[in-house]
């Protein structure tokens, strides 16, 4: 590192005396019990009950290092290694095992500047065409992302700004342990890269370069408590200048055989716990505090939580901790049990924390935006569905009928996705338990309190046993509102055209003029086609036809009137559930009619109710991404308000899991709840998880892979809670969830399974693998498997009487 750079970026020297450390000096006089209580209070106010960890693989790119630290067994001499560096294939072999087991992180650890000490390192780099270890590390990171999707965390030590900037292009986060600012520690003799000024300069440069950064202190290597406070304050000051320190590791020293410090005493447990609590209290509240769980005995994990940590760091189901190979990682179930016994909830995260993931333009290189997004949930944490997680690759678009028109190639992910044929992990029913904010909100629900935006967002953040607690409350409200009976409707979907002039970025169904050669064959059903499909639906027992389609450039408002008339002439008794708010809005606009007049005319022609689709997310910030030329939030609400005023019913839908965040879900629920209070016209709430496989916004690398299963359960359950007393029915979309998913949701507030459909094209075109028809006996089997009675309903949730079809009930073709 350039000495001039080091001097320029090193803050003023920190004095190691209690008098120089206000307000930390006051903390040093507290008992351990008082100190840890304060630390827990800070954690509760910032991260609540959530404790995170990063599922990872550990990739030791090289064990060669120019430093000789007195406690280290990671660094090795060339004579002990088969090769100076892992090959790219060896790197990928480890990373592939991580992707197969659902890891999100590839932690690259390596010695510092080995080519400056060992000729073997320099020769290897030259032979393989790399200018430096950093150059090779950057290439290894790039290959891992492209081939496996794992997100690299580069832990390259005290490096130059140029090296940090190079790695920023291929790693969403980086790290370097500060360890201590004592310059005279015996542990760091022979380790030029551990010079305090050098470490501080790297920390400062990372901030200036807007790099989400991990650092930490090593406790018990000869430093004092005041020294630890000094280091923590230096980190805090750097973060206040730049906002880049995402986590601080408080690591306890353990002596290792074969090192210079093999006979030194291990860090006393009380001193480690004190250092954790001090870190939580000295550091800004938005900096996370971590303690490595494998450096504590299993029975001590609770004590680490009690001291104030909110993160367990990287934990690998695949690779050992190569820095501490004698200390195996605890099983995730062990961490989860310890976390939940402390009244907290465990959640996986990415290499970059959610605060940074939420602001990618500022903190993450543009080329890494999608790899990070692809592994994110709606909060910017890691997706938590078990199973393999691979980057999706596709052949050129092809017409494959009504299914997905984009063919996936290569390794397939095995985790659950909406529309996929994998069964979701079992989350409900389960033992419910909630503490903190989630428990407070649920207590308010039980007392009959109405939830606002903040409370709804809190429930959407439920994790672990909190999810079951939310589902339990929702299911109790379901029983109170509608009883135990599960309902369904026998219906048929008629999607009369896939040609559309609008450019919704999530839609894999519609065909626009620019896509005709790429995305399959456009079609437009005739009125005779629609009539015949209606007659066929009636003969097969349907009581409803659901009609929706693209906005064809040749349509005027008269087309929709003709469609309704064609259906009613063919089958007068059939319920016509038709036309999105967009279709109604466009129909009225193209005729120059008011919404009220146009909807009244449709009603007179035989329209009975409107679907709630075209809502997506009722927040214009999100709609600007998903449907920039579509109706606005207020226009969707106005169409449904007007429909209700003239006596038409409709439902509420939400499409979730693409680009939005939980706050947008909450706003959607609140806006529709307010309209329902005014009109009472909504019959049901229908969550529609985003199906990503053939959605243009996903193929263009701008969206997530749909919601996680946890988020899907919570959308149904929180919807039930939010709408309690105003919307009585919550429906599960079996087309997007699969029968197994729908069955689980019957224990989370759902009372309705939707329709038999008999021709569902829109979800199929987006990539959904589930069938186009669910027979009535399958609805009965599904409900009975959940221990619930079942009955057929009408569109408006009335009873359906047995019928005998007569010629007068079905018009002549």
């Amino acid at each position: 590192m350039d000495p001039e750079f080091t001097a320029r970026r090193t803050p003023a020297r920190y004095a190691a005396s209690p008098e120089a450390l206000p307000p930390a000096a006051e903390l040093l006089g507290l008992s351990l019990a008082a100190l840890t209580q304060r630390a827990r209070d800070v954690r509760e106010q910032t991260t609540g009950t959530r404790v995170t960890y990063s599922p990872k693989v550990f990739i030791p790119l090289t064990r060669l290092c120019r430093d000789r630290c007195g406690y280290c067994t990671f660094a090795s001499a060339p004579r002990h290694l088969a090769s100076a560096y892992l090959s790219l294939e060896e790197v990928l072999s480890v990373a592939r095992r991580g992707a197969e087991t659902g890891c999100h992180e590839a932690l690259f650890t390596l010695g510092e500047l080995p080519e400056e000490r060992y000729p073997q390192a320099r020769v290897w780099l030259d032979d393989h065409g790399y200018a430096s270890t950093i150059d090779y590390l950057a290439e290894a990171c790039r290959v891992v992302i492209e081939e496996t999707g794992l997100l690299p965390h580069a832990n390259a030590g005290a490096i130059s700004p140029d090296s940090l900037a190079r790695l920023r292009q291929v790693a969403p986060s980086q790290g370097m342990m500060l360890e201590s600012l004592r310059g005279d520690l015996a542990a760091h003799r022979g380790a030029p890269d551990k010079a305090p000024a050098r470490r501080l300069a790297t920390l400062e440069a990372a901030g200036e370069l807007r790099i989400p950064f991990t650092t930490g202190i090593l406790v018990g290597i000869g430093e004092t408590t005041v020294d630890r406070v000094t280091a923590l304050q230096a980190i805090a000051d750097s973060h206040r200048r730049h906002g880049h320190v995402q986590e601080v590791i408080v690591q306890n020293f353990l002596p290792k055989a074969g090192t210079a410090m093999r006979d030194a005493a291990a860090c006393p447990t009380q001193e480690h716990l004190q250092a954790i609590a001090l870190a939580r209290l000295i550091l800004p509240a938005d900096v996370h505090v971590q303690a490595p769980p494998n450096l504590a005995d299993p029975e001590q994990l609770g004590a680490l939580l009690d001291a104030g940590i909110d993160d367990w760091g990287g934990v690998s189901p695949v690779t050992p901790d190569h820095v501490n190979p004698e200390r195996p990682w605890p099983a995730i179930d062990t961490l989860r049990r310890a976390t939940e016994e402390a009244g907290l909830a465990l959640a996986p995260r990415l290499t970059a924390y959610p605060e940074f993931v939420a602001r990618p333009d500022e903190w993450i290189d543009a080329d890494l935006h999608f790899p990070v997004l692809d592994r994110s949930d709606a909060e910017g944490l890691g997706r938590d569905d078990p199973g393999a997680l691979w980057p999706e690759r596709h052949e050129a678009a092809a017409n494959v009928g009504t299914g997905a028109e984009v063919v996936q190639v290569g390794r397939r992910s095995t985790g659950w996705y909406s529309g996929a044929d994998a069964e979701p992990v079992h989350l409900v029913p389960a033992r419910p338990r909630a503490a903190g904010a989630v428990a407070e909100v649920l207590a308010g629900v039980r007392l009959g309190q109405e939830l606002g935006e903040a409370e709804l967002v809190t429930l959407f953040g439920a994790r672990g046993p909190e999810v079951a607690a939310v589902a339990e409350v929702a299911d109790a409200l379901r029983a109170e509102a509608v009883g135990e009976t599960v309902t369904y409707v026998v219906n048929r979907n008629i999607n009369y055209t896939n040609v559309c002039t609008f450019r919704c970025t999530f839609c894999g169904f519609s065909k626009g003029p620019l896509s005709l050669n790429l995305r399959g064959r456009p079609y437009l059903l005739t009125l005779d086609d629609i009539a015949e499909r209606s007659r066929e639906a009636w003969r097969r027992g349907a009581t409803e036809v659901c009609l929706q389609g693209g906005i064809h450039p040749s349509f005027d408002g008269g087309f929709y009137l003709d469609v309704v008339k064609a259906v009613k002439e063919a089958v007068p008794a059939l319920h016509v559930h038709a036309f999105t708010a967009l279709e109604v809005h466009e129909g009225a606009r193209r005729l120059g009619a008011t919404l009220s007049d146009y909807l009244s005319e449709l009603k007179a022609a035989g329209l009975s109710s409107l679907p709630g689709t075209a809502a997506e997310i009722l927040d214009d910030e999100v709609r600007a991404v998903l449907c920039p030329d579509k109706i606005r939030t207020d226009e969707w609400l106005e169409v449904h308000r007007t429909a209700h005023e003239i006596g038409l019913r409709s439902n509420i839908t939400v499409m979730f899991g693409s680009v939005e965040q939980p706050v947008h879900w909450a706003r959607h629920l609140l806006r529709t709840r307010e309209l329902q209070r005014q009109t009472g016209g909504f019959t049901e709430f229908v969550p529609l998880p985003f199906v990503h496989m053939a959605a243009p916004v996903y193929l263009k690398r701008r969206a997530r892979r749909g919601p996680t299963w946890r988020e899907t359960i919570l959308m149904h359950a929180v919807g039930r809670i939010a709408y309690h007393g105003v919307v009585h029915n919550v429906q599960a979309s079996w087309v997007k969830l699969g029968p197994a998913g729908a069955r689980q949701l019957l224990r989370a507030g759902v009372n309705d399974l939707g329709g038999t459909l008999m021709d569902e094209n829109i979800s199929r075109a987006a990539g959904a693998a589930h069938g186009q028809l669910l027979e009535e006996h399958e609805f009965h089997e599904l409900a009975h498997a959940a221990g619930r009675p079942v009955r057929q309903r009408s569109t408006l949730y009335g009873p359906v009487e047995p019928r005998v079809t007569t010629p007068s009930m079905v018009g002549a073709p």
Side-chain angles (χ1 to χ4, degrees):
M1 182 179 290
D2 178 7
E4 182 181 345
F5 165 82
T6 300
R8 190 170 65 249
R9 283 169 172 75
T10 301
R13 187 173 182 272
Y14 287 84
S17 64
E19 295 76 16
L21 302 173
E26 181 259 339
L27 298 176
L28 298 180
L30 296 177
S31 68
L32 182 61
L35 200 63
T36 56
Q37 181 60 62
R38 286 198 190 186
R40 290 194 299 275
D41 290 343
V42 171
R43 180 185 63 200
E44 183 178 348
Q45 294 163 12
T46 52
T47 57
T49 59
R50 183 173 299 167
V51 175
T52 52
Y53 75 101
S54 178
K56 71 171 183 181
V57 292
F58 200 128
I59 303 178
L61 192 67
T62 179
R63 290 175 175 272
L64 300 179
C65 183
R66 77 168 180 174
D67 296 318
R68 304 177 188 88
C69 296
Y71 46 76
C72 181
T73 57
F74 176 77
S76 301
R79 64 181 179 276
H80 299 307
L81 301 173
S83 174
Y85 296 83
L86 294 183
S87 68
L88 284 179
E89 189 49 48
E90 289 172 319
V91 168
L92 283 174
S93 177
V94 176
R96 289 179 183 124
R97 289 163 57 205
E100 193 66 41
T101 55
C103 292
H104 293 308
E105 174 184 350
L107 170 61
F108 282 91
T109 191
L110 56 152
E112 300 191 37
L113 298 172
E115 62 268 40
E116 295 196 9
R117 177 178 178 186
Y118 294 110
Q120 295 91 332
R122 181 70 269 163
V123 169
W124 191 97
L125 292 169
D126 290 342
D127 288 348
H128 290 81
Y130 299 105
S132 65
T133 297
I134 296 299
D135 191 27
Y136 180 47
L137 172 59
E139 175 65 5
C141 290
R142 183 192 65 78
V143 170
V144 163
I145 292 177
E146 290 183 357
E147 293 296 320
T148 72
L150 292 186
L151 303 175
H153 176 78
N155 198 10
I159 56 178
S160 70
D162 288 345
S163 295
L164 288 166
R166 173 77 177 90
L167 293 173
R168 189 183 190 276
Q169 299 172 345
V170 291
S173 61
Q174 297 182 54
M176 173 210 66
M177 289 287 285
L178 188 62
E179 296 193 8
S180 176
L181 292 183
R182 277 282 296 272
D184 60 349
L185 292 174
H188 290 155
R189 262 185 224 129
D193 297 300
K194 295 298 173 72
R198 190 171 175 77
R199 310 302 271 188
L200 286 172
T202 299
L203 182 64
E204 282 293 294
E208 292 174 3
L209 291 166
R210 316 304 284 164
I211 295 170
F213 207 71
T214 294
T215 188
I217 61 172
L218 186 53
V219 184
I221 55 173
E223 84 295 346
T224 66
T225 301
V226 171
D227 293 329
R228 295 164 201 157
V229 170
T230 300
L232 291 169
Q233 286 192 323
I235 295 168
D237 289 348
S238 184
H239 179 73
R240 290 188 182 100
R241 284 188 289 273
H242 308 294
H244 66 304
V245 179
Q246 58 175 4
E247 63 180 340
V248 169
I249 303 168
V250 183
Q251 181 173 334
N252 52 313
F253 165 74
L254 297 176
K256 304 178 194 299
T259 67
M261 297 181 68
R262 60 188 176 275
D263 296 323
C267 174
T269 298
Q270 299 299 93
E271 289 193 27
H272 186 215
L273 298 178
Q274 180 197 45
I276 292 171
L278 286 170
R280 181 61 288 160
L281 296 171
I282 292 170
L283 296 166
D286 59 339
V287 175
H288 299 269
V289 177
Q290 173 199 135
N294 62 318
L295 300 187
D297 295 332
E299 62 272 14
Q300 295 176 317
L301 296 177
L304 299 179
L305 291 165
D306 286 345
I309 67 166
D310 66 282
D311 184 78
W312 289 116
V315 178
S316 180
V318 173
T319 55
D321 177 355
H322 291 284
V323 173
N324 301 285
E326 73 284 1
R327 306 288 302 192
W329 300 113
I332 299 301
D333 286 344
T334 299
L335 282 184
R336 181 173 289 109
R337 185 164 51 253
T339 303
E340 292 178 1
E341 286 175 355
L344 305 169
L346 190 66
R349 62 167 171 83
L350 305 177
T351 62
Y353 278 79
E355 300 91 323
F356 300 91
V357 172
R359 295 148 60 196
D361 290 340
E362 179 180 359
W363 289 104
I364 297 173
D365 186 86
D367 288 342
L368 300 178
H369 286 186
F370 179 71
V372 170
L373 191 62
D374 202 31
R375 289 179 172 269
S376 298
D377 68 10
E379 294 183 83
L381 287 166
R383 300 185 69 90
D384 54 7
D385 289 302
L389 185 59
W390 297 100
E392 292 191 2
R393 294 184 172 85
H394 307 87
E395 289 181 340
N399 182 18
V400 291
T402 59
E405 296 174 356
V406 177
V407 180
Q408 187 179 342
V409 296
R411 287 186 173 91
R412 300 299 181 95
S413 300
T414 60
W416 180 86
Y417 299 99
S418 50
D421 55 5
E423 290 199 6
V425 65
H426 182 91
L427 294 183
V428 292
R431 181 187 175 194
R433 184 166 59 185
V438 171
E440 290 177 15
V441 173
L442 292 179
V445 171
R446 293 187 183 97
L447 293 173
Q449 296 174 2
E450 184 174 86
L451 304 188
E453 181 179 300
E455 292 85 2
L456 292 174
V457 171
T458 294
L459 293 186
F460 280 127
R463 301 271 171 170
E466 296 171 342
V467 175
V470 174
E472 181 184 57
V473 170
D475 216 42
L477 295 180
R478 181 270 307 158
E480 177 185 327
V482 295
E484 296 298 317
T485 301
V486 176
T487 53
Y488 68 93
V489 64
V490 180
N491 67 350
R492 179 173 194 166
N493 269 25
I494 301 177
N495 304 123
Y496 39 79
T497 184
N498 61 353
V499 177
C500 188
T501 60
F502 286 80
R503 300 186 300 277
C504 297
T505 63
F506 59 85
C507 182
F509 172 73
S510 67
K511 307 291 176 278
L514 297 180
S515 66
L516 300 186
N517 295 325
L518 293 176
R519 294 169 57 197
R521 185 174 302 150
Y523 71 84
L524 173 61
L525 300 182
T526 66
L527 294 177
D528 288 341
D529 294 330
I530 294 171
E532 180 52 37
R533 293 189 184 199
S534 300
R535 282 189 286 267
E536 181 185 3
W538 180 265
R539 287 192 289 267
R540 294 173 63 181
T543 61
E544 169 200 308
V545 284
C546 179
L547 298 123
Q548 301 176 84
I551 308 298
H552 197 286
S554 68
F555 289 176
D556 61 17
F559 172 80
Y560 302 110
L561 289 164
D562 292 340
V563 166
V564 175
K565 292 173 183 176
V567 173
K568 298 301 283 186
E569 287 173 4
V571 189
L574 206 55
H575 182 108
V576 180
H577 182 64
F579 312 136
T580 68
L582 175 62
E583 290 169 294
V584 170
H585 192 273
E586 277 297 291
R589 186 187 67 80
R590 294 182 184 189
L591 284 180
T594 66
L595 281 174
S596 181
D597 288 346
Y598 185 55
L599 281 165
S600 296
E601 196 171 355
L602 286 169
K603 181 182 177 184
L607 178 65
S608 301
S609 60
L610 273 64
T613 39
E616 323 329 340
I617 296 288
L618 292 174
D619 189 287
D620 288 334
E621 178 184 358
V622 177
R623 299 180 79 79
V625 178
L626 294 178
C627 45
D629 58 347
K630 204 171 188 175
I631 54 173
R632 301 185 307 272
T633 294
D634 60 341
E635 291 171 331
W636 188 96
L637 293 168
E638 188 58 31
V639 167
H640 285 267
R641 180 193 309 278
T642 305
H644 298 169
E645 288 172 350
I646 67 164
L648 291 172
R649 294 295 189 92
S650 64
N651 59 36
I652 303 165
T653 66
V654 60
M655 188 195 75
F656 63 106
S658 59
V659 300
E660 78 294 339
Q661 298 171 354
V663 67
H664 302 114
W665 301 342
R667 292 170 186 168
H668 183 103
L669 297 180
L670 294 175
R671 285 164 179 159
T672 48
R673 185 178 74 186
E674 177 59 26
L675 179 55
Q676 178 71 344
R677 289 200 183 285
Q678 297 168 13
T679 68
F682 290 125
T683 57
E684 64 199 341
F685 173 52
V686 189
L688 302 172
F690 172 60
V691 178
H692 75 281
M693 293 78 135
V697 70
Y698 182 78
L699 297 175
K700 292 178 180 178
R701 299 163 65 87
R702 296 175 186 167
R704 300 191 299 277
R705 296 192 188 195
T708 66
W709 180 239
R710 179 191 62 84
E711 291 169 336
T712 300
I713 286 178
L714 289 172
M715 180 59 76
H716 291 79
V718 175
R720 167 65 71 184
I721 292 168
Y723 291 125
H724 183 59
V726 294
V727 179
H728 301 305
N729 302 294
V730 177
Q731 181 186 124
S733 172
W734 63 265
V735 170
K736 299 176 188 297
L737 302 169
R743 183 171 60 248
Q744 200 172 146
L745 289 168
L746 290 175
R747 304 295 295 272
V750 165
N751 69 295
D752 187 74
L753 295 174
T756 54
L757 297 185
M758 302 181 198
D759 285 322
E760 197 289 323
N761 292 332
I762 295 174
S763 295
R764 294 272 294 172
H770 302 299
Q772 295 175 279
L773 170 68
L774 208 62
E775 300 283 0
E776 288 190 69
H777 72 86
E778 294 178 277
F779 282 117
H780 285 256
E781 292 167 1
L782 200 160
H784 291 156
R788 305 264 295 277
V790 63
R791 70 170 174 84
Q792 183 185 349
R793 64 166 172 86
S794 70
T795 304
L796 301 183
Y797 287 82
V800 175
E801 300 297 329
R803 72 168 193 248
V804 177
T805 301
T806 64
S808 64
M809 299 173 72
V810 181

